[in-house]
């Protein structure tokens, strides 16, 4: 990649992507970051050696790719502030913001700009994220590949065929780390309740989540098969799983993810009217 990449917003998500890109060989001189917060800029310059500027238009001026990494509620104002430059140069614009629809971005930025919308997740911070991407049909293959390379800096990428699916992605993998943290909390609390000391209960719960996650990622068998393999008839795991199934754990997860997806749709409408 030889093009200049401009990040607008230098917070958590931008920092994760910048760290991943540099680790993959992108020279810091090819990255410029706009963020109004001086301490944020100083940190990025010190930790990653990238160029920083205080305002979005200065970063976007000569960039071939622009990554919009501000909060969703900041997006309308930020996009409008660079619309004039973007209209002239037509860089590839990638949004990592939750709940910002391409139609709204296009309205704020102006027509004819290649746009890719993405949904990364929190473990991107440690290079263990997963990102779903969507681009409108008129975005060409080189632009899609460029967006993919940038998001792949923090973990695997998947493309979805319809933008509406990003609401589902948000509820599955965007919010998903919180469900796994909740599971860890529950295991830890149950262990303490039954007599384990807190540190031991925490370690057992965390390492179990890590180990099971790695096995699910590395195994060729599907998760249901892996579960069956640790569930002997009449055994301890079977006794525990019976309680979960009887409580309707599958229906609870289905309802939870549906609620998350619904909320994502609502947010898209709220942010889109800013
Ligand atoms: N973090 C995650 O796990 C995650 C996961 C999926 C998607 N995302 C998406 O990623 C985006 C960024 O999230 P984040 O967690 O990185 O947020 P963040 O840490 O708050 O970073 C956003 C940064 O943008 C700066 N900013 C505000 N207005 C600006 C402007 N006009 N020009 C340039 N920079 C500006 C903010 O500065 P101030 O603090 O001074 O306002 C802040 O430093 C969000 O839209 C979020 O939906 C994040």
């Amino acid at each position: 990649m030889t093009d200049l990449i401009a990040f607008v917003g230098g917070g958590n998500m931008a920092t994760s992507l910048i760290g991943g890109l540099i680790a993959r060989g992108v020279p810091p001189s090819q990255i410029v970051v706009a963020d109004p917060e001086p301490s944020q800029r100083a940190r990025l310059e010190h930790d990653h050696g990238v160029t920083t500027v205080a305002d979005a238009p200065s970063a976007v001026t000569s960039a071939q790719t622009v990554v919009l990494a501000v909060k969703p509620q900041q997006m309308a104002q930020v996009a409008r502030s660079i619309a004039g430059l973007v209209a002239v140069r037509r860089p590839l614009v990638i949004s990592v913001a939750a709940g910002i629809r391409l139609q709204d971005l296009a309205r704020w930025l102006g027509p004819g700009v290649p746009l890719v919308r993405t949904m990364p997740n929190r473990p991107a911070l440690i290079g263990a994220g997963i990102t779903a991407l969507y681009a409108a049909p008129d975005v060409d293959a080189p632009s899609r590949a460029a967006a993919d390379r940038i998001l792949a800096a923090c973990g695997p990428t998947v493309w979805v065929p319809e933008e509406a699916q990003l609401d589902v992605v948000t509820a599955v993998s965007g919010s998903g780390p919180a469900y796994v943290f909740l599971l860890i909390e529950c295991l830890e609390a149950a262990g303490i309740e039954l007599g384990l000391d807190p540190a031991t209960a925490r370690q057992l719960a965390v390492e179990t989540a890590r180990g099971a996650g790695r096995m699910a990622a590395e195994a060729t068998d599907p998760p249901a098969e892996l579960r069956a393999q640790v569930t002997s008839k009449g055994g301890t795991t079977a006794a525990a799983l019976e309680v979960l199934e009887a409580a309707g754990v599958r229906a609870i997860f289905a309802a939870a993810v549906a609620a998350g997806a619904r909320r994502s749709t609502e947010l898209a409408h709220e942010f889109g009217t800013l």
Side-chain angles (χ1 to χ4, degrees), residues 9 11-13 34-36 40 69-72 74 78 96-98 119-120 122:
N12 289 313
M13 193 46 67
D35 198 292
Q40 199 86 289
V70 296
K71 294 281 188 208
Q74 299 164 331
V78 164
V96 302
M119 187 62 212
R122 192 76 174 174

Side-chain angles (χ1 to χ4, degrees), residues 51-66:
T51 304
T52 68
V53 292
D55 65 292
S58 302
V60 168
T61 303
S62 50
Q64 282 75 30
T65 306
V66 175

Side-chain angles (χ1 to χ4, degrees), residues 76-249:
Q77 179 258 319
V78 164
R80 287 187 182 116
S81 77
I82 59 170
L85 285 165
V86 163
V88 176
R89 300 186 54 86
R90 297 189 194 252
L92 168 65
V93 176
I94 302 167
S95 166
V96 302
I100 298 292
R101 291 169 301 192
L102 290 182
Q103 67 183 63
D104 295 314
L105 261 185
R107 187 161 45 80
W108 299 326
L109 288 171
V113 180
L115 298 175
V116 178
R117 180 177 162 192
T118 72
M119 187 62 212
N121 70 357
R122 192 76 174 174
L125 293 176
I126 57 163
I130 179 149
T131 301
L133 301 91
Y134 172 80
D138 59 347
V139 175
D140 64 17
S143 296
R144 287 166 192 260
D148 200 285
R149 274 197 303 276
I150 290 175
L151 274 303
C154 286
T157 57
V158 294
W159 286 80
V160 292
E162 289 167 25
E163 185 173 4
Q165 289 186 10
L166 287 178
D167 293 321
V168 183
V169 168
T170 301
V172 172
S173 58
S175 306
Y179 316 151
V180 177
F181 295 140
L182 176 64
L183 173 65
I184 293 172
E185 281 177 65
C186 291
L187 281 179
E188 179 185 336
I192 293 169
E193 178 73 24
L194 293 173
L196 295 177
D197 76 77
T200 304
R202 164 88 47 97
Q203 192 180 7
L204 291 170
V206 167
E207 294 301 330
T208 299
R210 190 212 307 265
R214 259 190 66 192
M215 271 190 80
E218 292 171 12
T220 48
D221 289 329
E225 179 59 30
L226 297 176
R227 177 174 51 75
Q229 288 164 9
V230 294
T231 313
S232 5
K233 201 159 182 283
T236 56
T237 310
L241 289 177
E242 261 171 40
V243 173
L244 289 172
E245 296 283 8
V249 70

